[in-house]
Amino acid sequence: MKITLITVGKLKEKYWQQAVDEYRKRLGAYAKLELVEVPDEKEPNNASEKDIENIKDKEAEKILGRVKDSQHVVTLEIHGKTYTSEQLASQYQQWMNTGKSDIVFIIGGSNGLGQAVKQRSNQEISFGTLTYPHQMMKVMLMEQIYRANKIIKNESYHK
């Protein structure tokens, strides 16, 4: 399985980078992992709705420039489908069983995802209706992908 995580913005805090490095190491036993960070667009003070849409559109161009036609795209969106860890593991297994072995997960920037990315998405998943920092979402997603692999292999997960 090849997993690509495309995120908007750079991880700046050392503790987030350490968490990402830990899950990258753990996931290495299960999948080929590629992490792609596209630069976020600067948001002017008192940005209008039009400014926000323009920012999301520019970020969408950068994101889609990293997505191949053959890849199965999963976007993280508040209004996506929610899963338990077991259900996500089952979905992950289904992707493998149906030949979707090149999965791209996309986490948008602080303003969300542009319409072009949403249209390219094959599947939308949600971690609930709470708002999380995108740096935290990257770590949470990596942890859940790792957990899904542990569940599929029927391996114990260190709690």
Side-chain angles (χ1 to χ4, degrees):
M1 181 72 100
K2 180 168 189 270
I3 301 291
T4 304
L5 265 66
I6 300 176
T7 56
V8 175
K10 207 165 191 61
L11 284 181
K12 297 175 185 111
E13 294 87 355
K14 187 177 180 181
Y15 54 91
W16 290 129
Q17 190 58 55
Q18 289 171 331
V20 164
D21 291 343
E22 177 62 27
Y23 283 105
R24 179 195 309 241
K25 183 175 74 176
R26 292 182 187 195
L27 278 166
Y30 302 101
K32 181 176 184 230
L33 178 67
E34 180 182 9
L35 302 177
V36 177
E37 293 177 337
V38 299
D40 55 345
E41 290 291 316
K42 301 299 175 226
E43 184 176 328
N45 291 335
N46 301 317
S48 68
E49 283 187 40
K50 178 89 169 130
D51 292 332
I52 299 296
E53 287 306 311
N54 286 337
I55 288 169
K56 292 193 304 187
D57 289 345
K58 288 177 184 175
E59 291 173 348
E61 283 181 43
K62 295 175 195 175
I63 290 168
L64 293 174
R66 302 302 301 263
V67 176
K68 298 176 192 138
D69 290 342
S70 60
Q71 292 176 307
H72 183 77
V73 175
V74 180
T75 49
L76 273 67
E77 301 183 43
I78 279 183
H79 300 293
K81 181 177 179 180
T82 57
Y83 292 87
T84 65
S85 294
E86 291 78 10
Q87 289 169 332
L88 184 60
S90 177
Q91 177 63 80
Y92 190 91
Q93 181 73 60
Q94 185 179 352
W95 291 330
M96 289 192 291
N97 292 345
T98 57
K100 294 176 183 141
S101 59
D102 192 354
I103 310 291
V104 177
F105 289 93
I106 299 175
I107 300 172
S110 58
N111 293 305
L113 293 168
Q115 198 58 39
V117 174
K118 290 180 179 188
Q119 289 174 345
R120 173 58 181 89
S121 179
N122 300 107
Q123 212 164 340
E124 304 82 29
I125 65 172
S126 174
F127 278 50
T129 56
L130 295 172
T131 302
Y132 299 101
H134 59 275
Q135 300 95 324
M136 183 183 290
M137 281 310 307
K138 186 174 188 174
V139 174
M140 290 170 58
L141 176 60
M142 291 177 75
E143 189 280 335
Q144 285 299 305
I145 295 169
Y146 172 69
R147 185 179 295 269
N149 279 284
K150 297 294 266 183
I151 291 169
I152 290 167
K153 301 279 187 188
N154 202 27
E155 297 173 351
S156 65
Y157 186 94
H158 235 336
K159 295 181 180 164

